[in-house]
C-alpha cells in the first residue's frame, strides 16, 4: 500500500485506516446481500440495523442518558444554526449566545433572522485568544437557551468546562471536538456535530436532543426543519445519507475497540502535547495563538513572526508529506488539526519537522 499522508486537514478530516479498510472490504457487497450499502433501501431491515446500531453505539460511548434522542440529519452544522432558533426561539424569549470566534458568529447571525439575540459573554475584545470565563456569562432574562461553540475549529480555542445554566437549556455545537474526551451529556439540552471532523465523512450531522425540548417545537414549521419530524420518524422521514451514517457506525466501532472516549482523550493529550511542546520550546520562533489554558485538543493554531516564513513552512511541509497545515483563509497562520483518527506517529513527525525547520531557519 502507498504511504499515507500525514493528514492534518480541519474537515473533511482523517479517518482511521482500519475503518477505511473495513469499508473497502464491504463496499461492493455489504454483508453478503449482493449490494453496496449505497444501493439498498433506507426502509430495508439492513439499513434500519445500521441506523439503530449507530445510535446505540453513540449512546453507549458518549454516556448519553435515557430521555435523549439521537438524530442523523443533513445540511451540516450550519443548518443547525438555523434550526435551533426556528424550533426553540419563541416570541418573547431571547436566544443567548457565547461568542468565541468564527463559528459562534455564524450561529449568532442566523439566530438574529428569527428573533432577539443576546451575547451572554464574548472574547472578541481579546481577538478570540481565550474562552470567556464562566463567571463572565450574563444570561438574558427569559433566555430560551444558551448556545456555545465547544471548540473553535478556526481559532483553536476550546471550553475546558461548561457552564451550569440551571433551568435554561444549554445547547452546544461540538462539531470539532465531539468524542475527543468524556462529557457529562446530562448538562445539555442539545449537542450537535457535523460528522466530518471526528465522527466520519461529510454528509451527516448528529443531533443529541433531550426529549422534553420537543414540546417546545412549533407546529407550523416546515416539515424538514422540525426536530419533531425527525424524532418521530427515527431519522428516516426522508432518504438519509445512508453511506455517511454507515461510516459513522464504523468509526464508533473503532473508538469502542480502542478503549472508548476516555482512551481517546488520553491519546489526544499525549499526541497534541508533542506539538504544543514544539511551539512552547521554540523561544518564540513559533507562537501559539490561544492562551495556554484554553488551547484546543483538536485544532492547534500557531504563527511565526514572518508571513513569508509561514508560507515557506506550509510549502516545505507539503513536500514532506504533511497535508492541511495552512491556517484558515480568514485568519492565516498555521493550524494542525489533530482529531481522534490522526495517529500519534503523525504528530511526532510534525513536531520533529517543526524542530528541523526552526534549526534551518533561525
Amino acid at each position: 500500500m502507498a504511504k499515507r499522508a500525514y493528514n492534518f486537514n480541519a474537515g473533511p478530516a482523517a479517518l482511521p485506516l482500519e475503518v477505511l479498510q473495513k469499508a473497502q472490504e464491504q463496499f461492493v457487497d455489504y454483508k453478503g446481500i449482493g449490494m453496496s450499502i449505497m444501493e439498498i433501501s433506507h426502509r430495508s431491515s439492513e439499513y434500519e440495523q445500521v441506523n439503530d446500531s449507530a445510535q446505540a453505539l453513540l449512546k453507549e460511548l458518549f454516556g448519553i442518558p435515557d430521555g435523549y434522542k439521537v438524530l442523523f440529519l443533513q445540511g451540516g452544522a450550519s443548518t443547525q444554526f438555523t434550526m435551533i432558533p426556528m424550533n426553540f426561539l419563541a416570541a418573547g424569549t431571547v436566544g443567548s449566545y457565547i461568542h468565541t470566534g468564527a463559528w459562534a458568529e455564524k450561529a449568532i447571525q442566523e439566530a438574529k433572522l428569527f428573533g432577539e439575540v443576546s451575547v451572554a459573554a464574548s472574547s472578541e475584545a481579546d481577538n478570540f485568544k481565550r474562552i470567556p470565563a464562566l463567571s463572565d456569562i450574563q444570561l438574558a432574562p427569559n433566555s430560551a437557551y444558551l448556545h456555545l461553540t465547544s471548540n473553535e475549529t478556526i481559532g483553536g480555542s476550546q471550553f475546558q468546562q461548561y457552564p451550569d445554566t440551571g433551568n435554561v437549556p444549554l445547547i452546544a455545537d461540538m462539531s470539532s471536538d465531539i468524542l475527543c474526551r468524556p462529557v457529562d451529556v446530562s448538562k445539555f439540552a442539545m449537542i450537535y456535530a457535523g460528522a466530518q471532523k471526528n465522527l466520519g465523512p461529510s454528509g451527516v450531522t448528529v443531533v443529541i436532543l433531550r426529549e422534553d425540548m420537543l414540546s417546545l417545537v412549533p407546529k407550523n414549521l416546515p416539515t424538514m426543519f422540525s426536530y419533531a419530524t425527525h424524532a418521530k420518524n427515527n431519522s428516516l422521514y426522508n432518504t438519509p445519507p445512508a453511506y455517511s451514517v454507515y461510516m459513522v457506525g464504523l468509526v464508533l466501532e473503532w473508538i469502542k475497540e480502542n478503549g472508548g472516549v476516555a482512551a481517546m482523550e488520553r491519546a489526544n493529550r499525549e499526541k497534541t502535547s508533542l506539538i504544543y511542546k514544539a511551539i512552547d520550546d521554540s523561544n518564540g520562533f513559533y507562537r501559539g495563538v490561544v492562551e495556554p489554558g484554553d488551547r484546543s485538543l483538536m485544532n492547534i493554531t500557531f504563527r511565526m513572526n514572518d508571513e513569508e516564513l509561514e508560507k515557506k513552512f506550509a510549502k516545505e511541509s507539503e513536500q514532506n508529506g504533511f497535508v492541511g497545515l495552512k491556517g484558515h483563509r480568514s485568519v492565516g497562520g498555521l493550524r494542525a488539526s489533530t482529531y481522534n483518527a490522526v495517529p500519534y506517529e503523525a504528530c511526532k513527525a510534525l513536531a520533529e519537522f517543526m524542530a528541523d525547520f526552526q534549526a534551518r531557519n533561525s
Side-chain angles (χ1 to χ4, degrees):
M1 190 178 76
K3 183 177 185 294
R4 284 175 58 76
Y6 296 126
N7 184 356
F8 291 96
N9 276 323
L15 287 163
L17 178 59
E18 298 94 323
V19 166
L20 294 172
Q21 290 170 331
K22 188 168 185 180
Q24 182 182 43
E25 288 169 15
Q26 298 180 341
F27 188 74
V28 174
D29 185 2
Y30 176 69
K31 294 189 175 180
I33 64 172
M35 293 179 288
S36 168
I37 195 79
M38 289 191 288
E39 299 175 282
I40 66 174
S41 168
H42 65 292
R43 306 293 180 199
S44 67
S45 60
E46 290 88 358
Y47 182 71
E48 283 194 12
Q49 196 274 328
V50 168
N51 186 56
D52 292 347
S53 67
Q55 290 179 27
L57 255 180
L58 183 58
K59 287 180 178 179
E60 176 189 339
L61 290 168
F62 211 29
I64 300 172
D66 292 341
Y68 284 78
K69 292 278 190 185
V70 172
L71 308 176
F72 297 128
L73 307 183
Q74 299 176 62
S78 295
T79 297
Q80 297 306 304
F81 299 160
T82 301
M83 283 183 69
I84 289 163
M86 283 180 81
N87 281 260
F88 304 132
L89 186 53
T93 67
V94 177
S96 290
Y97 285 75
I98 300 177
H99 192 2
T100 49
W103 291 106
E105 172 71 17
K106 290 178 185 290
I108 289 166
Q109 292 307 317
E110 288 297 298
K112 286 180 177 178
L113 299 174
F114 294 93
E116 187 179 347
V117 170
S118 169
V119 176
S122 174
S123 53
E124 187 171 14
D126 295 313
N127 206 25
F128 303 118
K129 292 180 179 178
R130 63 178 182 86
I131 294 289
L134 300 188
S135 58
D136 290 343
I137 298 170
Q138 301 289 321
L139 271 177
N142 211 20
S143 289
Y145 54 80
L146 175 66
H147 177 285
L148 61 83
T149 306
S150 179
N151 183 85
E152 282 284 356
T153 320
I154 292 173
S157 63
Q158 184 180 31
F159 277 83
Q160 307 304 314
Q161 295 177 301
Y162 297 110
D164 181 351
T165 53
N167 293 324
V168 176
L170 180 61
I171 297 177
D173 175 359
M174 292 192 184
S175 290
S176 52
D177 69 345
I178 192 168
L179 299 182
C180 81
R181 60 187 179 182
V183 166
D184 182 358
V185 175
S186 69
K187 280 179 170 253
F188 298 87
M190 176 176 163
I191 293 169
Y192 65 99
Q196 67 273 15
K197 302 174 191 299
N198 240 14
L199 285 172
S202 60
V204 62
T205 303
V206 171
V207 170
I208 302 164
L209 185 63
R210 203 173 65 210
E211 291 176 11
D212 66 333
M213 295 292 286
L214 292 167
S215 66
L216 304 175
V217 175
K219 300 285 190 273
N220 62 344
L221 288 183
T223 305
M224 286 298 292
F225 290 96
S226 169
Y227 290 118
T229 299
H230 303 290
K232 181 181 178 182
N233 291 278
N234 197 28
S235 302
L236 297 172
Y237 176 79
N238 68 322
T239 307
Y243 198 77
S244 294
V245 174
Y246 158 76
M247 288 292 289
V248 166
L250 293 187
V251 170
L252 294 173
E253 288 175 8
W254 174 82
I255 291 173
K256 184 174 181 178
E257 289 163 4
N258 284 274
V261 178
M264 292 294 116
E265 179 180 27
R266 287 192 296 274
N268 288 328
R269 294 200 181 281
E270 187 178 357
K271 72 194 189 192
T272 55
S273 68
L274 296 171
I275 302 170
Y276 280 126
K277 189 173 189 300
I279 295 168
D280 293 340
D281 289 354
S282 71
N283 293 315
F285 185 82
Y286 303 108
R287 292 179 289 108
V289 173
V290 175
E291 292 182 8
D294 294 324
R295 284 172 167 175
S296 171
L297 262 183
M298 297 282 95
N299 307 102
I300 300 171
T301 51
F302 57 104
R303 301 296 308 245
M304 300 181 197
N305 289 324
D306 181 349
E307 283 192 22
E308 289 305 311
L309 202 56
E310 290 176 348
K311 290 177 184 175
K312 184 180 180 184
F313 180 96
K315 184 177 180 181
E316 286 192 18
S317 68
E318 287 178 6
Q319 292 168 348
N320 283 271
F322 297 92
V323 176
L325 291 173
K326 286 182 183 176
H328 191 272
R329 62 187 178 278
S330 65
V331 294
L334 299 158
R335 172 178 59 176
S337 295
T338 53
Y339 301 122
N340 286 353
V342 176
Y344 178 89
E345 294 72 25
C347 295
K348 184 172 183 285
L350 176 56
E352 290 169 352
F353 173 79
M354 290 169 70
D356 177 64
F357 184 87
Q358 180 181 353
R360 290 184 288 104
N361 289 277
S362 292

